[in-house]
Amino acid sequence: MSLRYLAIAIAAQASAQLTGRGFPDCVNGPLSNNSVCDTSADPLARATALIAAFTLQEKLNNTGSTSPGVPRLGLPPYTWWQEALHGVASSPGVNFSDTGDYSYATSFPQPILMGAAFDDDLIRDVATVISTEARAFNNDQRAGLDFWTPNINPFKDPRWGRGQETPGEDPFHLSSYVHALIDGLQGGYDPKYKRVMATCKHFTGYDMESWNGNLRYQWDAHINAQDLVEYYMPSFQSCARDSNVAAFMCSYNSLNGRPTCADPYLLQTVLREHWGWTASQSE
């Protein structure tokens, strides 16, 4: 890649981070005759038609969390990274104003405290408030619709440093909590249009951030099959099989010698074939 093209790509990503919210013009724009603008088509067909219109360079250029879009197609930039762990939060895709409207959002307690309530109806109500406010931000072009929440890794070691982000350590409790949470965030388990796109993370075996010189990207979690199935995976099974969550985020680390983001056993055999998750209904 030339330095000139690299500079253009970086500038485009920066622009996407600041302004990446919006939709293509499906009335008069270049994509008006593309199936992506056909609201009667299913989401998979619409997404497939859009990607088919990209050149290879355009595909590669839009694989980051800040996608610059495709100007020749009238496709605007989009920032995929919004956070809403316990309320719409400051993150690359969320634009708070300095004063007045959109200068704040409701901030609920951290999940470790909300989980201690053992009240799934409460969690559903909290998530409904969060998704309602998220939609309001999106309606005013201040946020995207993809939120990288919830963190549903079981919390068993305080050295992790991110334990406050999770509901606790019990797999059954985590599974029940996230089932209610996704209901509130997405507006049901099979709505015509999801309120927001929730993302269950980090799949799986992630509970070390930075400890004793070891970073989350470097280490290899050795977990036997029984612990994996009985402890580390149930909350993610709830996300996929029972809750129809819109997205998954793989974990930073390796699992038993293989990076989780490149593990066909986790991403294909377990997630898609065994649990039946495809997210093809996400819209």
Side-chain angles (χ1 to χ4, degrees):
M1 179 184 293
S2 69
L3 290 177
R4 178 177 178 274
Y5 181 74
L6 178 60
I8 293 173
I10 292 173
Q13 288 190 345
S15 174
Q17 184 164 329
L18 292 172
T19 63
R21 295 165 283 272
F23 302 91
D25 181 355
C26 284
V27 177
N28 300 310
L31 289 172
S32 59
N33 293 320
N34 187 289
S35 292
V36 71
C37 287
D38 180 3
T39 57
S40 67
D42 65 81
L44 180 60
R46 296 173 70 182
T48 300
L50 175 63
I51 299 304
F54 286 19
T55 66
L56 177 59
Q57 181 173 307
E58 289 165 347
K59 290 176 184 177
L60 293 174
N61 204 30
N62 281 277
T63 54
S65 63
T66 51
S67 301
V70 182
R72 72 176 182 87
L73 296 177
L75 185 69
Y78 185 75
T79 301
W80 296 88
W81 184 1
Q82 280 78 209
E83 296 282 3
L85 182 67
H86 53 102
V88 176
S90 179
S91 47
V94 178
N95 178 22
F96 284 93
S97 61
D98 293 331
T99 59
D101 293 340
Y102 303 103
S103 62
Y104 63 91
T106 305
S107 182
F108 294 95
Q110 288 274 12
I112 192 67
L113 181 57
M114 289 196 290
F118 292 92
D119 186 340
D120 290 341
D121 289 337
L122 172 65
I123 299 307
R124 183 178 292 105
D125 289 344
V126 166
T128 300
V129 171
I130 293 172
S131 60
T132 301
E133 294 186 354
R135 270 286 176 171
F137 270 75
N138 176 262
N139 289 342
D140 201 52
Q141 301 290 298
R142 290 180 172 273
L145 290 173
D146 295 85
F147 285 79
W148 294 359
T149 191
N151 182 341
I152 205 64
N153 295 109
F155 177 38
K156 70 174 184 178
D157 189 336
R159 291 174 297 181
W160 178 19
R162 297 185 67 174
Q164 75 278 4
E165 297 182 25
T166 80
E169 64 179 351
D170 180 72
F172 178 81
H173 176 42
L174 267 66
S175 299
S176 180
Y177 177 103
V178 77
H179 187 57
L181 187 81
I182 291 171
D183 186 13
L185 288 176
Q186 298 190 167
Y189 302 117
D190 191 25
K192 181 179 181 180
Y193 299 108
K194 290 179 170 63
R195 282 170 166 259
V196 299
M197 315 289 276
T199 304
C200 283
K201 62 183 185 184
H202 312 78
F203 185 55
T204 185
Y206 165 61
D207 58 6
M208 200 280 288
E209 181 77 1
S210 177
W211 177 76
N212 201 28
N214 298 290
L215 301 178
R216 62 187 182 180
Y217 306 103
Q218 298 171 305
W219 71 296
D220 180 18
H222 292 181
I223 304 173
N224 64 49
Q226 181 174 355
D227 286 345
L228 197 60
V229 170
E230 294 181 356
Y231 186 74
Y232 290 95
M233 283 191 174
S235 56
F236 293 100
Q237 177 177 285
S238 178
C239 290
R241 188 193 64 185
D242 305 328
S243 309
N244 191 28
V245 72
F248 274 83
M249 181 190 295
C250 47
S251 59
Y252 303 98
N253 53 283
S254 294
L255 175 66
N256 296 327
R258 178 170 288 179
T260 60
C261 294
D263 190 341
Y265 172 72
L266 289 178
L267 303 182
Q268 182 65 32
T269 305
V270 174
L271 183 58
R272 290 174 169 82
E273 296 175 9
H274 185 54
W275 292 341
W277 181 82
T278 63
S280 62
Q281 297 305 313
S282 297
E283 186 168 310

